Amino acid sequence: MLEASVRITRPVGGGLPLPGPAVLAGWHGEQLALLWAFRHSGMRVIVSRSGDGDLAAAALRRLGLETVRGSSSSGGAAALRAGIRHLRSGGRIAVLVDGPRGPRHGVAPGVAALAALGRAPIICVRAIPDRAWRLRSWDRFEIPVPLSSVAVRAVSLEAPARDGVEDAIEKVTQTLRELGEPEG
């Protein structure tokens, strides 16, 4: 497991380094700290075509991140094709695996399909703040308290085979849950 600590302050430079190509998989409610940790990394983020997605895309641009627009409810096939092209050219792409509508901490099949078709490993990543405000939204969206520390934990899984998508979904779910458990 890889672990790093970041402080939630204003941006000064790049975020945490990433290997490429790779598919990052994280929880929707932890996106603020996750995306902050990987700011200016050249990563692309899959964002829904909704009004909320428009706001997210604007915020991501300010963090130096590009977007691929689409989700399971609208434009998913186009986003999948764009993501595969990006991975095959050596890029990295992030997927919030339980968004845009949940259920909370459920893994949708898109992340495993993207990794299988793009022939890229899945990096399961969690951002766990020592202090945060949590909204009463479906994903319990977390806003780290300014100047708090956020532990970023990651585990890399092999690229799934095309016929191994179901197994990969289970492995991603299990790995993300384990990354949030206290050490020891």
Side-chain angles (χ1 to χ4, degrees):
M1 174 173 58
L2 303 171
E3 185 164 349
S5 182
V6 294
R7 287 195 74 65
I8 302 301
T9 60
R10 62 186 187 85
V12 188
L16 298 174
L18 288 172
V23 178
L24 271 76
W27 297 134
H28 198 271
E30 295 175 6
Q31 66 182 292
L32 187 60
L34 279 173
L35 297 172
W36 181 268
F38 294 105
R39 66 194 182 279
H40 305 295
S41 65
M43 178 176 59
R44 292 189 181 167
V45 182
I46 294 186
V47 177
S48 75
R49 291 183 174 175
S50 67
D52 286 348
D54 292 342
L55 295 172
L60 290 168
R61 279 191 297 276
R62 292 189 55 92
L63 290 175
L65 299 168
E66 296 180 44
T67 61
V68 173
R69 300 298 297 269
S71 66
S72 56
S73 56
S74 175
L80 181 65
R81 286 190 301 274
I84 292 166
R85 280 192 305 276
H86 186 61
L87 288 168
R88 288 187 178 173
S89 70
R92 297 167 302 276
I93 195 155
V95 180
L96 301 170
V97 297
D98 55 349
R101 295 187 183 138
R104 183 174 183 260
H105 294 179
V107 176
V111 68
L114 179 60
L117 296 169
R119 298 186 290 272
I122 299 173
I123 300 175
C124 296
V125 62
R126 297 283 309 270
I128 303 165
D130 61 352
R131 294 173 294 140
W133 296 296
R134 286 173 184 79
L135 303 183
R136 293 183 183 163
S137 56
W138 70 267
D139 61 355
R140 296 190 189 135
F141 189 84
E142 294 180 349
I143 302 170
V145 172
L147 302 179
S148 63
S149 291
V150 178
V152 178
R153 298 176 180 164
V155 170
S156 183
L157 307 175
E158 288 184 22
R162 286 183 182 220
D163 62 353
V165 169
E166 290 299 319
D167 289 339
I169 293 168
E170 285 183 34
K171 185 67 174 166
V172 168
T173 302
Q174 175 186 351
T175 303
L176 284 170
R177 289 183 179 150
E178 288 172 355
L179 284 172
E181 294 175 2
E183 297 288 320

